Amino acid sequence: MFFVMVRVGQARRAAARWVGRYGRGSEGYLGAYVSGSTVGMPDDAELPATSDIDVVVVSGSAQPPPKLGKIRHEGALLEVTTLPWSALDPPARVLESYHLAGSFRTDTLLDDPTGRLAQLRAYVEPRFARPRWVLRRCADARTRIESGLEAFDPAAPFHQALTAWLFPAAVTTHVILVAALRNPTVRLRYRAARVALEEYGHAGLYPELLGLLGCAEVSAERVGRHLDALAATFDATAAVARTRFPFSGDLTPEARPVAIDGSRALVDGGEHREAVFWILATFARCHAVLAADAPGLGAELEPDFRSAARELAGVDAAGSLPGRVAEVGAFVPRVWRTAEAMVGSPGER
């Protein structure tokens, strides 16, 4: 498939113009910045149609509006989120948050009429790579894993139970990425973790991360087949979705290049195992929507979801998940020791 490319700088300028046209008029508006995978990328880098640029609109309102999701603006795919200023204050809270700190390690500001975001960056940037703060962010990711596992409910519907295991298992990659001072990307987290582990001399951990997910030995043909089934489920879900979920923006026609085409690019490029996490996550999200908005259609499509879970991750029923949850919990200390070693080694510092 042919993807239309835009440059990162072009996408940032489109994002800034979107903020100027739409963001500034929102209630309590304080500014906007870029987050996610494009942080630190040069302006002349290519941003394929399978990627978006994350825009965070900061609001002083006590109740910011819900996440807008993915939209096209001037050829760039924007993922727009609103964040309350309270989440960014005090600055030390940002510095120890593995999801927030990376956006302020460099200049990502799109608009800053109050100057607050520039002050926040001035605090975070010089401290970002100091080991004590890196380890605090690693601990933040570890807490995300452990709290997610504690909330697991084996009696939940299959799509919920799978999600409750899948995401904590995959946050193990974020512990590694934070230790390596890399962006804790969402869809491409396994590819990014593999590269970081190789560069820091810990490549042996990567097969274990895949094994925890259950896809260490899966074939490209099998992943591709289940991706085809996901594409059909995705399109059917996007056509009937009405209920608002936090992830609704990822299940729209505008988001299809990321969820489906992006996964296809991984499979075609020989990184089929790296595509498994997002295929399963998207399948589960589709079925959350279908359960709310089209349960009959969900029942019709569920065998494809169950087959993907079984053949890609070795999960054949919700009853098999408590054991997998326990495996993740037992693996966390191994990941933590690796992260500590990475923070203590020179790497690419």
Side-chain angles (χ1 to χ4, degrees):
M1 180 176 292
F2 176 74
F3 296 133
V4 176
M5 298 283 188
V6 298
R7 302 289 177 180
V8 170
Q10 177 185 349
R12 288 173 179 152
R13 290 188 292 273
R17 286 191 287 269
W18 182 92
V19 168
R21 184 171 182 179
Y22 301 104
R24 287 178 186 168
S26 60
E27 182 180 356
Y29 176 78
L30 295 176
Y33 64 91
V34 171
S35 182
S37 60
T38 63
V39 172
M41 293 176 64
D43 281 352
D44 61 353
E46 291 183 338
L47 185 68
T50 54
S51 295
D52 54 29
I53 183 165
D54 295 286
V55 177
V56 180
V57 175
V58 182
S59 174
S61 174
Q63 292 185 324
K67 181 177 179 179
L68 184 59
K70 289 181 171 60
I71 57 173
R72 285 279 176 191
H73 188 71
E74 298 181 9
L77 184 62
L78 312 181
E79 171 89 16
V80 182
T81 302
T82 302
L83 189 70
W85 173 254
S86 59
L88 301 175
D89 187 47
R93 176 185 296 176
V94 175
L95 192 56
E96 64 186 10
S97 167
Y98 89 91
H99 276 304
L100 297 176
S103 296
F104 298 97
R105 64 184 295 184
T106 186
D107 185 6
T108 64
L109 306 188
L110 297 172
D111 188 37
D112 186 25
T114 67
R116 294 189 192 183
L117 296 178
Q119 293 174 1
L120 180 57
R121 179 194 168 196
Y123 180 87
V124 172
E125 185 175 10
R127 297 171 175 84
F128 181 81
R130 294 178 185 176
R132 66 183 281 245
W133 291 107
V134 178
L135 285 173
R136 286 192 186 188
R137 293 194 296 274
C138 289
D140 182 35
R142 177 173 181 166
T143 298
R144 179 71 63 94
I145 297 171
E146 294 171 340
S147 61
L149 296 178
E150 289 173 1
F152 175 79
D153 179 6
F158 183 67
H159 63 270
Q160 292 181 12
L162 183 78
T163 298
W165 158 75
L166 178 67
F167 274 84
V171 174
T172 55
T173 64
H174 283 174
V175 178
I176 298 303
L177 291 172
V178 171
L181 301 181
R182 309 295 169 84
N183 170 58
T185 184
V186 178
R187 181 175 61 87
L188 299 177
R189 64 182 70 189
Y190 279 87
R191 170 203 274 176
R194 185 193 72 226
V195 172
L197 287 167
E198 290 171 352
E199 292 181 359
Y200 275 75
H202 295 278
L205 183 69
Y206 188 63
E208 297 180 52
L209 292 176
L210 292 176
L212 196 68
L213 197 62
C215 62
E217 304 298 330
V218 72
S219 68
E221 183 277 331
R222 178 172 294 182
V223 176
R225 177 160 44 84
H226 289 296
L227 178 56
D228 290 339
L230 172 61
T233 295
F234 183 100
D235 293 339
T237 302
V240 300
R242 298 184 305 274
T243 303
R244 186 75 183 178
F245 289 87
F247 49 78
S248 290
D250 294 326
L251 301 178
T252 64
E254 291 79 12
R256 196 183 196 278
V258 176
I260 304 301
D261 300 339
S263 296
R264 183 78 62 193
L266 286 175
V267 175
D268 291 346
E271 295 180 301
H272 51 282
R273 299 180 303 175
E274 285 73 13
V276 167
F277 163 70
W278 201 238
I279 289 172
L280 292 177
T282 304
F283 249 130
R285 288 175 164 186
C286 286
H287 279 274
V289 172
L290 292 171
D293 295 336
L297 180 59
E300 179 183 334
L301 294 171
E302 186 166 9
D304 286 340
F305 174 36
R306 296 264 185 172
S307 177
R310 181 176 62 253
E311 295 194 2
L312 299 182
V315 176
D316 55 7
S320 66
L321 283 168
R324 301 295 291 275
V325 167
E327 289 177 9
V328 177
F331 190 69
V332 168
R334 169 90 165 97
V335 175
W336 181 256
R337 289 192 297 272
T338 302
E340 286 184 314
M342 293 170 69
V343 173
S345 66
E348 294 189 334
R349 304 296 175 85

